[in-house]
Amino acid sequence: MTDKNRVIIFDTTLRDGEQSPGASMTLEEKIRVADALEELGVDVIEAGFAIASNGDFEAVNEIAKRLKNTSVCSLARASRKDIDRAWEALRPAVRPRIHTFISTSPLHMRAKLQMTPEEVLEAIADSVSYARNLCEDVEWSCEDGTRTEPDFLYKAVEIAIKAGATTINVPDTVGYTTPEEYKVMIQNIIKNVPNSDKAIFSTHCHNDLGLAVANSIAAVQGGARQIECTINGIGERAGNAALEEIVMAFRTRNDMLPYTTGVVTENITRTSHLVSSVTGLAVQNNKAIVGANAFAHESGIHQDGMLKDAGTYEIMTPESVGLKKSSLVMGKHSGRHAFREKLKDLGYELADNEFMRAFTEFKDLADRKKTVYDEDIISIVDDNLRDNDRMKITGWKFVCEKGKANSAELELEIDGETKTVFSEGNGPVDAAFKALRSLVGGEPHLQLYQVHAVTRGTDAQAEVTVRLEEDGKTVNGHAAHTDTLVASAKAYVNALNKLLVKREKTAPEEMSA
Ligand code: KIV
Ligand code: ZN
């Protein structure tokens, strides 16, 4: 293995990932994800789009101050104002990177930017050189690159490199390309752009046709040495290329894909759990690498094979992605040590204060429930990871009695102050949601209310998902509790907290570039 096969992993979970419908993270949650990504060993973290909102600016700035090894990047359109804001946020970083972009496809230039190709080329030269005067490390992206005329693309890339771009990213913005086409496109750019040896080429693939990972790998085979990707593949529409799938493909099929990354694959599972719980975006059970069934074997023939030799049906070990097989059965007699071991087996490593909070809740649950299953523990930890919410439910009273009006009275802590809300409704869940809605004003519409039992048994915890929509923005809230009504109210509050974050995110000011 030589250094020329080392692929830079650029994680955009906090930027493109956060643009997923339903996802939003508080500042504390973003910091937690950034810390986890640094421990995971990614090379670059795109921490946000600094000009998009004060929240984005603050997140980029806090992450820039905090990270020791990883490059921190902010997105910026091809405007000096965007670039100034990105640089202001990034300035404290040990390794800052400005990522500026503009569309280059005929359709985007005409319909979206309403600029001529010549104007776009001028904007590239101006924005990249302006960014490069501020920061040594400048990435330039040609949005909708895969639908750009080849000759225009070569010209644009040449200008960007000449203006000082050190990384050239060719996004498949709409998830349209195919592996062979994309590989040849990257090869042709490298071949036809006279100064291509002065930059690293990068891929950024969306998953509209389910090809994002295959396309990213093909681009690397064509000469790209940076992959932009996200944890769990979250991102705009169908998402981005999934980091864990790319990295494990390189590790597992190194005979065919002789590339390396700096990712510590044993941290994959816990990073995936963290991202899923803070964004509210559940991972599908059959998702490669990190889905609940990725290492599960149910058919008798497979189980028999596995008992004889795990290699019969497993091409990688669960341990290699940080999933340990565990036989620890947890109950009310389990102590701190066993709980910590169990958390490790499940892929969690909590700070001391988080551990104590989770342990107290585990003991509380174990008093109410005979056997505490792994799924119960996962939902306790996930609930705790959401503990930075501005609003928290601290008390409740539900009335559901024949002949009486159904009602809910809820006590909340909001920014440190206690408040009580009450409403009657068509059933206690409706009453609770009405009471809670009065706290935030506006018109959040309930799009989904879903309850499922975390485990078997009538004492199982209910896990509730609530999806709210307001002005085209959606958020997901989750919570679990042995009482379905409490879980419902908590999930609704979790969604409202996310809505408050979304409301702060105003669209960046209109511009023509
Ligand atoms: O998909 C895309 O084109 C992007 C760019 C801004 C890099 O996310
Ligand atoms: Zn994108």
Side-chain angles (χ1 to χ4, degrees):
M1 201 64 50
T2 56
D3 259 353
K4 70 179 178 29
N5 282 349
R6 168 70 158 83
V7 176
I8 294 166
I9 296 294
F10 175 116
D11 181 280
T12 182
T13 305
L14 294 173
R15 200 278 298 168
D16 217 326
E18 212 217 3
Q19 287 173 214
S20 308
S24 65
M25 292 173 251
T26 61
L27 175 64
E28 290 75 15
E29 288 167 342
K30 286 185 181 176
I31 290 175
R32 194 190 276 268
V33 171
D35 285 349
L37 290 171
E38 184 163 62
E39 277 177 48
L40 183 65
V42 308
D43 303 285
V44 187
I45 293 177
E46 188 163 52
F49 187 1
I51 204 163
S53 68
N54 290 340
D56 263 54
F57 177 88
E58 216 184 329
V60 176
N61 190 240
E62 286 304 319
I63 292 167
K65 285 183 203 153
R66 196 173 171 89
L67 297 192
K68 307 273 179 300
N69 307 309
T70 319
S71 295
V72 181
C73 171
S74 171
L75 189 64
R77 290 168 298 183
S79 99
R80 292 184 175 204
K81 205 168 156 197
D82 271 43
I83 293 168
D84 282 338
R85 192 76 175 139
W87 180 238
E88 201 186 330
L90 287 169
R91 209 194 276 268
V94 176
R95 292 175 215 278
R97 173 182 291 193
I98 297 175
H99 176 191
T100 181
F101 73 100
I102 191 165
S103 294
T104 50
S105 67
L107 177 60
H108 274 224
M109 290 192 290
R110 188 181 67 246
K112 187 182 113 168
L113 300 177
Q114 295 174 342
M115 287 169 79
T116 63
E118 291 67 35
E119 285 168 335
V120 168
L121 294 179
E122 268 171 43
I124 296 168
D126 185 70
S127 56
V128 174
S129 56
Y130 187 74
R132 185 58 202 264
N133 276 333
L134 301 170
C135 182
E136 288 271 289
D137 188 355
V138 174
E139 172 169 333
W140 176 75
S141 287
C142 40
E143 192 185 2
D144 207 16
T146 53
R147 293 193 298 171
T148 297
E149 303 276 342
D151 286 339
F152 184 69
L153 187 57
Y154 306 150
K155 189 84 222 142
V157 170
E158 185 183 346
I159 289 175
I161 297 175
K162 203 162 158 210
T166 42
T167 301
I168 299 292
N169 183 38
V170 186
D172 184 30
T173 304
V174 290
Y176 180 72
T177 197
T178 62
E180 189 57 24
E181 179 186 67
Y182 197 40
K183 175 180 158 187
V184 172
M185 190 180 297
I186 299 288
Q187 282 170 336
N188 283 341
I189 297 173
I190 294 173
K191 194 167 79 194
N192 290 301
V193 172
N195 49 3
S196 66
D197 59 323
K198 308 242 164 3
I200 290 172
F201 286 84
S202 166
T203 88
H204 177 109
C205 295
H206 281 271
N207 206 28
D208 300 66
L209 292 173
L211 291 171
V213 168
N215 287 338
S216 304
I217 291 174
V220 168
Q221 291 172 319
R225 284 296 175 271
Q226 172 176 286
I227 298 181
E228 302 199 354
C229 47
T230 59
I231 300 292
N232 300 337
I234 65 171
E236 283 274 3
R237 304 182 311 278
N240 288 58
L243 179 149
E244 62 280 3
E245 295 178 21
I246 291 163
V247 167
M248 288 313 288
F250 287 167
R251 180 172 164 167
T252 309
R253 293 308 311 272
N254 210 250
D255 54 333
M256 296 301 291
L257 304 169
Y259 308 106
T260 54
T261 70
V263 169
V264 182
T265 61
E266 289 74 13
N267 283 355
I268 284 177
T269 298
R270 74 183 165 97
T271 314
S272 161
H273 280 158
L274 174 65
V275 168
S276 168
S277 56
V278 300
T279 56
L281 297 176
V283 173
Q284 82 205 47
N285 285 352
N286 62 328
K287 162 86 177 61
I289 318 294
V290 290
N293 294 348
F295 293 92
H297 306 273
E298 194 155 307
S299 97
I301 296 174
H302 287 204
Q303 286 177 348
D304 181 54
M306 285 292 296
L307 289 171
K308 289 176 177 143
D309 180 340
T312 50
Y313 289 102
E314 269 179 9
I315 56 166
M316 55 201 151
T317 64
E319 290 79 9
S320 64
V321 298
L323 193 68
K324 295 200 190 109
K325 292 207 176 92
S326 164
S327 51
L328 271 178
V329 177
M330 304 297 286
K332 70 176 181 185
H333 300 297
S334 310
R336 263 173 242 208
H337 182 66
F339 188 63
R340 206 182 272 283
E341 283 306 301
K342 174 59 90 180
L343 289 181
K344 259 200 217 149
D345 290 351
L346 294 173
Y348 291 105
E349 220 163 275
L350 301 186
D352 284 350
N353 59 337
E354 293 161 353
F355 172 81
M356 277 320 295
R357 231 172 25 221
F359 182 65
T360 310
E361 279 185 34
F362 157 71
K363 288 303 249 186
D364 183 47
L365 183 65
D367 276 340
R368 286 181 277 134
K369 209 168 171 283
K370 195 160 165 266
T371 309
V372 178
Y373 297 99
D374 288 359
E375 292 84 346
D376 288 319
I377 294 176
I378 290 171
S379 73
I380 287 177
V381 178
D382 285 353
D383 257 10
N384 267 285
L385 293 175
R386 293 190 279 265
D387 205 54
N388 295 307
D389 286 349
R390 281 176 61 190
M391 298 191 275
K392 281 175 216 163
I393 293 196
T394 48
W396 50 81
K397 182 174 162 191
F398 297 96
V399 174
C400 179
E401 192 179 330
K402 190 163 191 280
K404 282 202 173 163
N406 295 154
S407 65
E409 186 178 328
L410 301 162
E411 186 191 86
L412 294 107
E413 200 183 286
I414 305 176
D415 295 331
E417 281 186 25
T418 304
K419 191 161 180 167
T420 305
V421 286
F422 172 86
S423 179
E424 291 186 345
N426 189 9
V429 173
D430 181 50
F433 288 5
K434 274 192 181 136
L436 293 167
R437 199 164 50 228
S438 68
L439 288 167
V440 297
E443 287 283 314
H445 299 291
L446 183 67
Q447 280 197 328
L448 174 85
Y449 169 63
Q450 191 171 283
V451 184
H452 93 267
V454 172
T455 59
R456 55 192 178 273
T458 49
D459 65 350
Q461 293 196 90
E463 184 167 68
V464 176
T465 305
V466 164
R467 183 175 307 143
L468 299 177
E469 184 273 333
E470 186 182 71
D471 297 333
K473 293 174 181 162
T474 54
V475 286
N476 292 318
H478 293 277
H481 197 276
T482 45
D483 186 320
T484 309
L485 296 177
V486 177
S488 304
K490 285 189 165 194
Y492 196 90
V493 170
N494 182 235
L496 288 183
N497 276 296
K498 301 225 168 258
L499 193 66
L500 293 181
V501 176
K502 280 262 180 197
R503 279 183 186 171
E504 271 176 32
K505 252 190 192 295
T506 47
E509 208 175 284
E510 281 289 320
M511 56 175 275
S512 59

